[in-house]
Amino acid sequence: MATKIDLIKQWLFNEGYKSEIDSDGDLVFKYQGATLVCPASADDPLYLQIMMPCIYTIENGERTKVLEAIDALCRERKCIKAFTVGENVFLTLEMMMDSSPEVDDFFERCCTMLVQGRMFMMEKIH
């Protein structure tokens, strides 16, 4: 049976996107200029996470402004989470899939939502 990473990798290939599996087994690819990562998370095969790491680095004195932008994003946008790791801001979209997902039905919209979420954050910060 194909894993979610296999299904997504095949969808990316069919749509003309290049992807690779990194040393952790995560799927890494570019979408509209952004680097996205689908962690393998083998412990929960129906859980899908698409991550956009390090979209912004928090500079001195702007932490409150960035946290307000994160709050606005999480409040106003569907399905997206934002969080900090040190001084870096990450975006992620998380969802549960069924056991035989039709990746064509949702994957591109999920990726687009992340790209739009990054633009939303940048507008709120600047």
Side-chain angles (χ1 to χ4, degrees), residues 16 21 42 49 72 107 113 118:
I21 303 293
Q49 180 182 43
F107 194 75
M113 290 172 74
R118 179 182 62 186

Side-chain angles (χ1 to χ4, degrees), residues 2-94:
T3 68
K4 67 184 165 205
I5 296 296
D6 294 334
L7 293 172
I8 293 166
K9 188 172 182 167
Q10 185 62 51
W11 182 88
L12 290 166
F13 177 80
N14 291 346
E15 296 297 316
Y17 294 98
K18 293 180 182 178
S19 66
E20 62 182 44
I21 303 293
D22 70 9
S23 61
D24 295 326
D26 301 334
L27 181 64
V28 180
F29 61 98
K30 293 268 192 194
Y31 181 82
Q32 294 185 8
T35 299
L36 301 180
V37 179
C38 289
S41 61
D43 59 324
D44 192 347
L46 300 181
Y47 169 72
L48 174 64
Q49 180 182 43
I50 309 168
M51 188 180 326
M52 185 183 288
C54 301
I55 67 156
Y56 190 79
T57 301
I58 302 169
E59 302 292 332
N60 290 334
E62 68 176 359
R63 181 168 284 280
T64 299
K65 185 184 233 184
V66 171
L67 293 176
E68 288 171 354
I70 287 171
D71 183 52
L73 176 85
C74 292
R75 184 179 57 249
E76 296 178 31
R77 296 295 173 135
K78 297 175 188 174
C79 304
I80 300 176
K81 292 181 183 179
F83 55 91
T84 60
V85 176
E87 299 304 310
N88 293 305
V89 178
F90 284 56
L91 294 182
T92 185
L93 188 141
E94 301 175 7

Side-chain angles (χ1 to χ4, degrees), residues 31 78 93 105-114 116:
Y31 181 82
K78 297 175 188 174
L93 188 141
D105 290 347
F106 64 87
F107 194 75
E108 187 162 23
R109 181 172 183 198
C110 291
C111 295
T112 299
M113 290 172 74
L114 281 168
Q116 291 171 345

